Amino acid sequence: KRSEQILVNQVYTGLVKYNQHTLQIVPSIAREHTLSANELTYTFLLDTRARFQNDRCFENGEGRQIVASDVKYSIERICRNKLIEGIGLSRQVLNIAGADEFLPEAKDNDSVHISGIVAENDSVLIINLKEPDKLFLHYLAGTNALVFAPEAFNAYGINGTVGSGAFRFKYP
């Protein structure tokens, strides 16, 4: 399983990631973030150079810029898939404001969203927590918060391999 995680983290990335040498959390899609004084609100400024890999699911086959709504979509989609598969959600997800209202309907209703995840504009994502959580950035650096394109999910479902990371899958 660990080798699969390493591979997946090369093809997909999230807002933040682990430095491979120091294991410190460093920027990835988000070039910087701030935490409010009460430790409940994370504000991420996305790197406008971050792009999805080229694929036919995009117009003209060219990967597009990754925007804040893609991050929101990815976190919610991963939560939906876990609920459909009967897998419990992490404490970090359950601590996001609006998660309690999202959970009962999310499995069967794609129009339900987690209100505490806000795409303010293309380059700013805000995540509001119910209580401070020193492990929240670690959650975002893990495989449960990797970013993928809605177009790729709609085209290929859970088996899509259009990534947001530096490497891509190559098939014979």
Side-chain angles (χ1 to χ4, degrees):
K1 175 122 182 171
R2 179 70 183 132
S3 61
E4 290 174 5
Q5 288 177 340
I6 291 169
L7 181 65
V8 166
N9 280 320
Q10 299 301 311
V11 177
Y12 299 93
T13 192
L15 290 168
V16 294
K17 64 182 179 181
Y18 290 106
N19 175 298
Q20 295 178 5
H21 303 290
T22 66
L23 297 182
Q24 295 294 317
I25 292 177
V26 296
S28 187
I29 292 172
R31 69 173 195 232
E32 64 182 68
H33 73 274
T34 58
L35 178 60
S36 64
N38 65 5
E39 298 184 352
L40 296 178
T41 302
Y42 286 84
T43 302
F44 296 90
L45 182 59
L46 275 60
D47 186 338
T48 57
R49 298 169 299 169
R51 300 185 67 77
F52 289 113
Q53 298 166 355
N54 293 343
D55 187 85
R56 68 180 184 269
C57 70
F58 298 113
E59 187 174 331
N60 299 322
E62 294 182 21
R64 63 169 176 77
Q65 180 183 345
I66 298 171
V67 296
S69 60
D70 295 320
V71 179
K72 177 179 175 62
Y73 173 86
S74 297
I75 293 170
E76 291 175 346
R77 182 81 257 167
I78 290 169
C79 290
R80 279 190 174 86
N81 288 354
K82 285 183 174 255
L83 292 170
I84 290 167
E85 295 171 14
I87 299 171
L89 300 178
S90 73
R91 187 176 84 70
Q92 282 69 38
V93 169
L94 299 175
N95 189 31
I96 298 173
D100 294 335
E101 295 79 16
F102 171 80
L103 292 176
E105 298 182 44
K107 189 165 57 169
D108 302 317
N109 185 350
D110 282 352
S111 66
V112 174
H113 300 283
I114 301 174
S115 62
I117 305 175
V118 179
E120 187 171 276
N121 57 46
D122 283 352
S123 60
V124 177
L125 182 82
I126 299 169
I127 301 178
N128 297 297
L129 303 181
K130 294 184 269 188
E131 60 185 55
D133 182 354
K134 299 287 185 196
L135 296 177
F136 190 70
L137 283 178
H138 293 275
Y139 163 77
L140 292 176
T143 57
N144 289 313
L146 297 174
V147 178
F148 53 92
E151 298 94 329
F153 186 82
N154 292 335
Y156 312 117
I158 196 76
N159 297 317
T161 58
V162 179
S164 52
F167 298 93
R168 62 183 305 136
F169 288 108
K170 182 178 180 182
Y171 297 99

